[in-house]
């Protein structure tokens, strides 16, 4: 199947299907007991979340608490330094708590409140999802457990402090590589014991159905806003939209606004130190079909077919798989997925900071790096980059490892 065979006017009604599949990807490969919990969440989502009361509450939260809509900024100095391509960024760094993650965390926590749950559980890598969920839990008066790898706790100390100040219980995960995959493992284990009283608020468009769909739907506000804002600013659509992809929530959020438009979409994965297995986390570029954490997608595997060790300078991108919808859009050719390495990413981090006064998250710097590279390739036109988060959380790590340039 190719994307020309799909009617994108009805895409969101047809994908995922009733069983949570995007083509062959997705589903819910979990125990019968957890399937009951997922079915409860699915039923609640399709009833509560479609009610005018829920929608009204969420819109009010987005406007009065999150500060939405976030703006689009024109990068005039950076654009002029490259040539004739005009670069723009969708400023999710200005969303309350500093990243796009609050878009779905407020939705998931509001759903938990409507369902009568007392606690939310989550994993986090870079800490942005953890901070966002801790923020949502504080807003709604819910208990909050955040599972985080020991490596990421050290790299992301500012976000760990923020989670604790907000009242979350940050639980250190020390097994395996002690990064994002292990945090997800630990959070799923905890959820399997507590699902009657809590919701596992997955941090991206991955996991068993209905989470890839729910997170995409909550994040679609980014794409809806961006399309409207860009056309009002320029009178036309961008030629390309670029977003970083780990699990892929910010990318699905902004892509959802442009799927049915004549706009090129680019998802940017972390090449890290290079293409050798264990030196990157570019699952869509180098992976094969496989099941992990309850869903079927494209993943990086070791010699035994198990999830491979991964690496990225960005803690939020070091995951050995990608959201199932990204795998589907990859296979049908609607989105092009490419890579940038650590050096390109850090160069882009400093370039945007120095030329535009915007310090981006390392995750977002992958998209900025690719946007700059793409601008040099296409020569003319306009590119909209999803700036998924701000870089406050990364500054200590950047200075320690790379110094001040």
């Amino acid at each position: 199947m190719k994307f020309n065979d799909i009617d994108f006017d009805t895409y969101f009604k047809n994908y995922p299907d009733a069983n949570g599949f995007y083509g062959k990807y997705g589903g819910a490969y979990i125990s019968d007991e957890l399937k009951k919990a997922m079915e409860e969440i699915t039923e609640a989502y399709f009833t509560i979340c479609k009610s005018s009361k829920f929608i009204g509450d969420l819109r009010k939260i987005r406007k009065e608490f999150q500060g939405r809509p976030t703006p689009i900024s024109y990068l005039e100095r950076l654009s002029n330094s490259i040539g004739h391509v005009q670069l723009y960024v969708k400023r999710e760094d200005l969303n309350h708590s500093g990243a796009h993650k609050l878009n779905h965390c407020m939705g998931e926590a509001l759903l938990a409140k409507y369902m009568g749950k007392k606690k939310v559980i989550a994993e986090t890598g870079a800490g942005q999802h953890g901070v966002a969920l801790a923020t949502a839990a504080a807003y709604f008066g819910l208990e909050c457990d955040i599972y985080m790898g020991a490596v990421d706790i050290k790299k992301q100390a500012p976000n760990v402090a923020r989670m604790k100040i907000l009242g979350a219980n940050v639980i250190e995960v020390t097994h395996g590589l002690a990064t994002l995959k292990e945090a997800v493992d630990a959070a799923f284990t905890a959820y399997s014991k507590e699902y009657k009283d809590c919701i596992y608020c997955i941090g991206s468009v991955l996991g068993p159905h209905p989470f890839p769909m729910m997170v995409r739907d909550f994040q679609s506000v980014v794409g809806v806003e961006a399309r409207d804002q860009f056309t009002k600013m320029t009178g036309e659509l961008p030629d390309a939209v670029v977003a970083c992809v780990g699990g892929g929530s910010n990318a699905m959020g902004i892509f959802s606004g442009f799927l049915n438009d004549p706009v090129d979409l680019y998802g940017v994965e972390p090449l890290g130190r290079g293409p050798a297995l264990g030196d990157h986390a570019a699952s869509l570029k180098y992976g094969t079909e496989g099941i992990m954490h309850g869903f079927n997608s494209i993943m990086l595997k070791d010699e035994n077919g198990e999830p491979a060790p991964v690496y990225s300078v960005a803690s939020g991108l070091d995951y050995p798989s990608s959201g199932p919808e990204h795998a589907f859009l990859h296979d049908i050719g609607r989105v092009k997925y490419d890579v940038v390495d650590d050096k390109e990413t850090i160069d882009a981090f400093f370039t945007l900071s120095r030329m535009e006064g915007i310090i981006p998250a390392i995750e977002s710097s992958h998209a900025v790096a690719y946007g700059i590279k793409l601008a040099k390739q296409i020569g003319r036109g306009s590119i909209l980059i999803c700036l998924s988060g701000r870089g406050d959380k990364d500054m200590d790590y950047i200075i320690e490892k790379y110094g001040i340039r």
Side-chain angles (χ1 to χ4, degrees):
M1 180 186 294
K2 298 298 180 183
F3 74 85
N4 289 332
D5 300 324
I6 293 176
D7 180 4
F8 281 99
D9 283 331
T10 58
Y11 175 82
F12 295 108
K13 292 183 178 179
N14 297 324
Y15 296 96
D17 66 16
N19 295 312
F21 283 95
Y22 307 82
K24 62 182 177 180
Y25 301 111
Y29 298 86
I30 50 180
S31 67
D32 288 342
E33 194 169 25
L34 274 183
K35 279 185 179 179
K36 294 177 182 177
M38 293 299 128
E39 288 168 1
E40 178 194 16
I41 295 171
T42 303
E43 183 177 350
Y45 179 72
F46 280 117
T47 53
I48 297 169
C49 293
K50 300 302 179 182
S51 71
S52 60
K53 178 71 167 67
F54 184 95
I55 294 168
D57 287 347
L58 189 57
R59 285 176 175 170
K60 183 177 180 180
I61 288 167
R62 285 173 172 170
K63 180 180 179 181
E64 299 178 5
F65 182 71
Q66 292 184 230
R68 302 206 69 89
T70 58
I72 285 178
S73 294
Y74 170 48
L75 306 181
E76 183 174 6
R77 291 190 65 223
L78 182 54
S79 299
N80 290 342
S81 73
I82 294 172
H84 299 295
V85 176
Q86 308 306 306
L87 294 172
Y88 299 79
V89 284
K90 174 62 171 166
R91 299 292 304 278
E92 289 304 290
D93 60 313
L94 298 180
N95 191 35
H96 179 51
S97 78
H100 71 290
K101 295 292 188 179
L102 196 61
N103 299 330
H104 66 257
C105 284
M106 293 304 287
E108 289 175 327
L110 181 60
L111 176 63
K113 193 76 173 178
Y114 272 60
M115 293 174 68
K117 304 297 185 179
K118 305 299 182 185
K119 180 195 281 191
V120 288
I121 291 177
E123 84 297 329
T124 195
Q128 293 290 52
H129 176 60
V131 168
L133 191 62
T135 300
Y139 182 92
F140 289 110
L142 298 167
E143 297 176 43
C144 181
D145 287 349
I146 304 294
Y147 291 82
M148 191 172 189
V151 171
D152 295 332
I153 284 178
K154 184 177 180 181
K155 285 174 67 176
Q156 303 293 340
N159 272 346
V160 175
R162 291 171 74 191
M163 286 183 271
K164 291 180 177 179
I165 287 171
L166 289 162
N169 180 27
V170 181
I171 302 165
E172 184 176 17
V173 179
T174 58
H175 68 275
L177 294 177
T179 56
L180 183 56
K181 175 192 171 294
E182 289 75 25
V184 176
D185 291 340
F188 260 113
T189 299
Y191 178 60
S192 68
K193 300 173 183 177
E194 301 183 60
Y195 67 88
K196 291 182 180 179
D197 298 314
C198 71
I199 281 185
Y200 179 14
C201 297
I202 292 176
S204 193
V205 285
L206 44 77
H209 180 65
F211 282 99
M213 173 190 67
M214 282 174 46
V215 174
R216 176 199 71 188
D217 290 353
F218 287 135
Q219 287 294 344
S220 67
V221 65
V222 180
V224 171
E225 287 178 6
R227 189 183 189 281
D228 179 63
Q229 291 167 325
F230 196 92
T231 54
K232 286 178 178 176
M233 285 178 73
T234 68
E236 59 187 12
L237 293 168
D239 292 289
V241 174
V242 178
C244 66
V245 176
S249 56
N250 89 96
M252 276 314 310
I254 198 164
F255 290 167
S256 66
F258 298 92
L259 281 175
N260 200 31
D261 293 317
V263 174
D264 295 329
L265 304 178
Y266 295 89
V268 186
E269 294 190 294
L271 185 59
R273 296 181 291 248
L277 193 65
D279 282 344
H280 64 84
S283 57
L284 294 165
K285 183 78 171 179
Y286 297 107
T288 55
E289 185 179 353
I291 297 170
M292 66 177 290
H293 293 150
F295 68 103
N296 184 44
S297 187
I298 298 175
M299 61 181 280
L300 295 167
K301 302 175 184 176
D302 63 18
E303 63 276 8
N304 299 314
E306 296 298 317
V310 292
Y311 159 81
S312 171
V313 68
S315 296
L317 301 182
D318 59 356
Y319 188 70
S321 187
S322 208
E325 192 165 9
H326 283 293
F328 177 66
L329 294 172
H330 168 273
D331 280 11
I332 67 173
R334 178 61 188 96
V335 179
K336 178 181 179 182
Y337 294 89
D338 209 341
V339 296
V340 296
D341 62 24
D342 281 0
K343 182 182 183 305
E344 293 171 298
T345 298
I346 301 303
D347 286 346
F349 174 90
F350 282 106
T351 296
L352 190 65
S353 299
R354 298 288 170 81
M355 297 196 74
E356 297 291 345
I358 301 171
I359 302 175
I362 300 179
E363 291 77 15
S364 313
S365 299
H366 284 74
V368 175
Y370 194 82
I372 293 170
K373 181 190 294 188
L374 182 63
K376 294 175 180 178
Q377 291 173 356
I378 66 176
R380 64 181 62 192
S382 60
I383 299 172
L384 175 60
I385 300 165
C386 188
L387 196 74
S388 57
R390 66 180 184 230
D392 306 41
K393 67 184 180 61
D394 298 311
M395 290 190 294
D396 290 345
Y397 173 75
I398 290 282
I399 292 169
E400 179 183 344
K401 185 165 183 178
Y402 299 98
I404 297 292
R405 297 186 180 181

